[in-house]
Amino acid sequence: MGLTVGRFVLPHVETRLMLTDHRSDGGTVDQPDGPADTVGYYASNTLATVERRRAEGRVNLYGAPGVVTVGGAVERETEQGVDQYFSSYGNSTDQLDVKRLNAAGYAELQGTPLRAVAVHAGVRLDRSDTFGTFLTYRGGAVYHLPAGLSLRAMLGTGFKEPTFYQNFATGYVRGNPALKPEHSLSWEVGLDQTLAAGRARLGATFFDQRFRDLIDYTGAPPSSSDPNYFNIAAATARGLEVSAQASPVRGLDLRAGYTLLRTRVTSAGFDPGPGALLVQDSALLRRPAHAGFAELHAHALGRADFTVSARYVGPRADLDYAGYPPQRVTLPAYATVGAGAAIALVRAAERRTTLTVRVDNLFDTAYEEILHFPARGRTVWLGARAVF
């Protein structure tokens, strides 16, 4: 559930308050593979309830050069769960009841200090009662040249906090309360060219990402009382994105894009074997080297929108955990097609009621994004939206 309210307290000062509450209940059942599956850890059951409650407030200051945003947020995360393990060494039960409180403050600028230059800069300070204080930043600029050519550049940092399980697991697997977040440093440069009086656009972007403090699991910690998760690995991801967009006639838009991606583990995890998660100089799992999409959008009769799209994902590495030790395999490429429509039933000056229908995987293609976990087949989504 979410609630957002906003108000202009002055002609150029806007305040906004956002409240969200999220709860998920789930679990897994891993039954024995058969009557003879009684060696080692052969079965498990898990149940978990995760709650996230968040409050965020911000102030937007509108001026001639752009918009300045200042805000802060507080988030409380809790998880309660129970895990049951069945093995030839004896059965065990682990319980988890933990919480984490995070607070953050940030400032952001979006504007055009010069006529041909647009800038975006932001800084954020996060404080967690689990993993400490971290500062991240992001900045970019676009320079508009004559004849419809634009140059752009961006630099930024980020982090991904450890999961509750990685921090607080007990029993056979021990979490590490001293884990640091996984960190990233990213930069990109690109150009865009507008053609045909703005009816077409071509773009290309080169990007580079570097990840450090990646968390990996070890089944043989330094001592029996040590945790199983540590910040140990590092990796890179770099590549090229190209895109094209065109509006050949009024009411018809075409878009297409392609991504070439190369990933590499630059600092290995604990296990050097081929079935490990982070093997030196290997590719990161489930990152395709080639991916692309194409989309057609049409607006007809003044109140209907139709969309047809296609997506391609190339081969990518994964791990097969069906046997021990796990083996590195290649997931095959796949392509899917989708279609959708939105029809405005009521379209007045201040009122609008729209019905939507979307079909994903229109031709019911069988594929796996994760090995042994089939993705959804043909899926139909129905929706409605009313504005009063």
Side-chain angles (χ1 to χ4, degrees):
M1 297 184 293
L3 173 67
T4 301
V5 295
R7 181 179 177 85
F8 277 88
V9 295
L10 293 172
H12 301 289
V13 180
E14 179 190 20
T15 59
R16 299 191 71 83
L17 174 65
M18 291 147 284
L19 304 174
T20 59
D21 184 275
H22 175 270
R23 171 177 171 144
S24 65
D25 295 287
T28 62
V29 177
D30 183 8
Q31 297 180 341
D33 298 331
D37 186 11
T38 58
V39 178
Y41 286 85
Y42 54 82
S44 65
N45 299 319
T46 70
L47 289 173
T49 298
V50 179
E51 289 186 322
R52 291 183 175 88
R53 295 179 178 176
R54 179 184 179 89
E56 180 175 353
R58 68 175 62 154
V59 177
N60 297 321
L61 307 174
Y62 297 89
V67 182
V68 175
T69 300
V70 179
V74 177
E75 182 179 64
R76 185 176 185 268
E77 302 173 90
T78 63
E79 180 171 342
Q80 295 176 318
V82 58
D83 300 336
Q84 294 178 309
Y85 300 98
F86 304 92
S87 77
S88 55
Y89 316 110
N91 301 334
S92 64
T93 300
D94 298 336
Q95 292 185 336
L96 192 67
D97 186 0
V98 293
K99 64 181 180 179
R100 186 160 60 192
L101 183 65
N102 304 324
Y106 58 87
E108 184 180 62
L109 167 67
Q110 298 183 69
T112 53
L114 300 175
R115 184 175 182 180
V117 178
V119 298
H120 173 206
V123 63
R124 180 184 176 99
L125 183 67
D126 283 84
R127 168 66 183 176
S128 169
D129 58 4
T130 303
F131 52 79
T133 302
F134 289 90
L135 181 72
T136 53
Y137 60 85
R138 193 176 191 86
V142 179
Y143 181 34
H144 299 285
L145 296 168
L149 181 64
S150 299
L151 304 178
R152 47 187 165 79
M154 184 278 295
L155 174 70
T157 60
F159 71 85
K160 176 180 177 292
E161 63 186 12
T163 66
F164 274 119
Y165 194 79
Q166 291 169 338
N167 265 146
F168 304 115
T170 60
Y172 176 71
V173 176
R174 293 175 180 266
N176 186 353
L179 281 176
K180 297 182 293 184
E182 299 178 331
H183 290 81
S184 67
L185 172 66
S186 306
W187 63 269
E188 66 179 45
V189 293
L191 57 86
D192 297 289
Q193 176 66 60
T194 301
L195 304 168
R199 294 197 305 272
R201 172 175 292 184
L202 302 175
T205 303
F206 177 82
F207 60 89
D208 185 285
Q209 299 173 307
R210 303 183 182 187
F211 308 97
R212 60 183 176 88
D213 297 324
L214 297 182
I215 298 171
D216 196 19
Y217 168 87
T218 175
S223 71
S224 59
S225 60
D226 285 337
N228 295 93
Y229 291 100
F230 294 88
N231 297 101
I232 184 173
T236 62
R238 56 176 57 97
L240 177 69
E241 294 178 341
V242 294
S243 62
Q245 182 177 344
S247 300
V249 296
R250 185 175 181 181
L252 182 65
D253 296 314
L254 306 172
R255 295 194 313 127
Y258 165 76
T259 301
L260 173 66
L261 176 66
R262 293 291 183 265
T263 64
R264 187 172 71 91
V265 175
T266 57
S267 181
F270 288 102
D271 186 353
L277 182 65
L278 297 162
V279 180
Q280 185 72 35
D281 296 324
S282 67
L284 293 173
L285 298 183
R286 303 172 191 144
R287 271 75 163 184
H290 305 278
F293 75 93
E295 182 178 282
L296 182 150
H297 177 83
H299 183 71
L301 307 175
R303 60 175 64 233
D305 292 279
F306 302 94
T307 301
V308 178
S309 61
R311 184 171 68 113
Y312 169 80
V313 176
R316 58 239 177 263
D318 203 348
L319 285 178
D320 187 353
Y321 290 99
Y324 184 83
Q327 297 297 314
R328 184 163 288 225
V329 297
T330 299
L331 288 172
Y334 67 89
T336 59
V337 175
I343 301 175
L345 301 181
V346 177
R347 189 176 181 181
E350 297 181 357
R351 295 185 301 163
R352 184 181 180 95
T353 302
T354 304
L355 296 181
T356 61
V357 57
R358 190 178 86 242
V359 183
D360 295 337
N361 196 1
L362 182 63
F363 299 114
D364 201 25
T365 301
Y367 67 97
E368 294 178 336
E369 294 181 340
I370 302 174
L371 187 64
H372 303 312
F373 288 86
R376 279 200 303 258
R378 183 185 299 111
T379 307
V380 180
W381 304 83
L382 300 175
R385 180 176 182 179
V387 179
F388 300 97

